[in-house]
Amino acid sequence: PTYAALSQNTPKILLATYFDSVEQHAELLKTLPVAGLHIDLVRAPQQAESFLHNFPEDKILSAGLVDGRNIWRCNISAALQTLNTLRETLGDRLWVAPSCSLLHVPVDLAQESTLNKQTQLDKVVKSWLAFATQKLAEVATLARGVTLGKEAIAPQLAQANAALESRVYSPKVHDKAVRNRVSALTPQDAQRHSPFPERIAQQQARFNLPAFPTTTIGSFPQTADIRAARADYKQGRLNAAEYGAEMRAEIQRAVRKQEALGLDVLVHGEAERNDMVEYFGEQLQGFAFTEYGWVQSYGSRCVKPPIIYGDISRPLPMTVEWAQYAQSITDKPMKGMLTGPITILQWSFVRNDIPRADTALQIALAIRDEVHDLEQAGIAIIQIDEAAMREGLPLKKSDWPFYLDWSVRAFRVCSSGVKDDTQIHTHMCYSEFNDILPAIAAMDADVITIETSRSDMELLEAFREFHYPNDIGPGVYDIHSPRVPSTEEMLRLMRKALAVIPANRLWINPDCGLKTRGWPEVEAALQNMVAVARQLRSSMAA
């Protein structure tokens, strides 16, 4: 009925679908009063057959054969073969298009320099890529090829084939040692030594934290001074020693502020980090970076995702020096801060030549090495953020179990190689967790911190029904707002949490990192948050 109403006295409607197959709805879609249908033949090439059978004479079919969700060049030969098959049935009722909106990819590869060492985008890697402008050229090439024949696009076809062959055989892509290490993984590599009740007893003995421990999620305000220092370092106006001194001064400032506020578990503030994924990708083998590869994140905020082009390994420690320095200037526990394998995977442009699960395990092993080095350096609490775990769910619930199985395994591989008295935290923000709680529990993090203030703690109802077994830090204030919540507001939320989670398993923390906020509001909000913990402890003692 909706499409019947839309089709009255309107321009022609092209119904576009993407990111998965709609073949199970093919017969319905063919009957809708629309002028054409678009299908994603990158994510779901097998669905073409369902639409060719009895396709209405009054409709066009738009074939999405150029990947609009990733930055790799199109396999022109393979796409042209598909188009020729479709054209045998559809004739002039066939359109050629990207698989989806080009919102998801950067604008123009021609802007990228192959000489700037900061981008790490060398000439060979660049030859494998296509941004939005190049993808439109690929669409035009395919259209010419299907109407005029291969001879009409011979130069473009030769160039595309050469790039594809270069990528298949490039030593930049393949690392036998990484592949062997993934193949050698055993079930024990994804298993903590002891179950949670035994671990938490050892951790409590080690840290001696009060009831309702307070902490933050990791980042503190990225001030203008921090951003200027990073820019000066990248442009060569600061040398490594001078930049290091600037960052250590910022870390010390953050540590002293946390001590003054009375927080129980501290963080170093992440002054040295540009982005929670890009920072790690810059230090891992198999990643490349762009100068102008911006895409929209949310609202008016944009990010510059790394490009995973090859097998992934960690040449050197990435965070140990900063965490060790931060721990050396305080007697309170200092959290090591890492980004998890699924979040790095989700927020990067990912290889399309191997399964995503394989790439996740490669990243997990690199993070596992970092976790080990942090533990060896005396960092006893390590947070591995998986903000994008739920975001990675496939569109169809039937595909969820497979995804959750390999994503949970990746997290456990990166987090399970530690001693029982080393505490593993994870953070997940701004997601509905109800339908994946078994998978979250299977991650077996000692402490999970989550966003709950926006829902007024309603998200915790799912944790009660599921009987979530480990410690939880429900966020008590929304960091996306500059408003400073009162102690009374946060206390009310914690009392709601206490109705769901036992007091001995509750932490108190903000919803997310504080990178985008200013110090005055951060200090005021955290002061109120610590006051909440003290009131709750007093009421327990009474």
Side-chain angles (χ1 to χ4, degrees), residues 1 51 119 128 238 279 288 310 352 362 364 401 420 441 462 509 538:
F51 286 90
T119 69
W128 303 336
L238 281 180
Y279 175 79
N352 61 358
Q362 292 181 7
D420 285 347
N509 45 262
S538 296

Side-chain angles (χ1 to χ4, degrees), residues 53 58 71 111 117 168 175 177 183 189 192 197 209 231 276 300 358 372 383 400 419 424 481 484 491 507:
H53 180 67
D58 63 342
I71 42 67
Q111 292 180 288
K117 291 182 180 179
V168 167
D175 187 329
S183 298
D189 292 319
R192 294 289 294 270
L209 294 173
M276 66 182 292
S300 62
D358 291 3
H372 176 266
Q383 181 172 310
W400 286 14
K419 299 174 185 176
I424 296 294
S481 169
V484 176
L491 188 59
W507 289 59

Side-chain angles (χ1 to χ4, degrees), residues 80-216:
L80 192 58
Q81 186 175 354
T82 300
L83 280 173
N84 284 327
T85 301
L86 294 172
R87 196 179 188 217
E88 288 174 7
T89 300
L90 298 171
D92 293 338
R93 292 181 296 129
L94 174 65
W95 284 12
V96 187
S99 62
C100 63
S101 163
L102 296 177
L103 170 74
H104 310 285
V105 293
V107 176
D108 190 359
L109 185 66
Q111 292 180 288
E112 298 297 329
S113 167
T114 57
L115 302 176
N116 188 334
K117 291 182 180 179
Q118 292 291 337
T119 69
Q120 303 175 34
L121 185 60
D122 69 20
K123 187 176 181 180
V124 174
V125 174
K126 184 178 179 181
S127 73
W128 303 336
L129 307 179
F131 292 175
T133 301
Q134 289 70 42
K135 289 178 184 296
L136 293 176
E138 289 176 331
V139 169
T141 295
L142 287 170
R144 287 199 305 276
V146 76
T147 54
L148 302 176
K150 284 186 177 181
E151 298 77 12
I153 59 167
Q156 294 90 339
L157 193 58
Q159 187 184 53
N161 288 340
L164 289 170
E165 185 175 1
S166 163
R167 185 178 168 209
V168 167
Y169 296 107
S170 173
K172 295 177 181 292
V173 171
H174 306 290
D175 187 329
K176 189 175 181 180
V178 173
R179 300 289 182 96
N180 289 343
R181 194 177 176 199
V182 170
S183 298
L185 283 168
T186 67
Q188 287 69 38
D189 292 319
Q191 187 74 41
R192 294 289 294 270
H193 300 298
S194 304
F196 173 74
E198 294 179 28
R199 299 197 310 263
I200 198 67
Q202 294 185 47
Q203 293 162 16
Q204 286 168 345
R206 181 176 187 178
F207 304 125
N208 193 29
L209 294 173
F212 307 105
T214 55
T215 190
T216 62

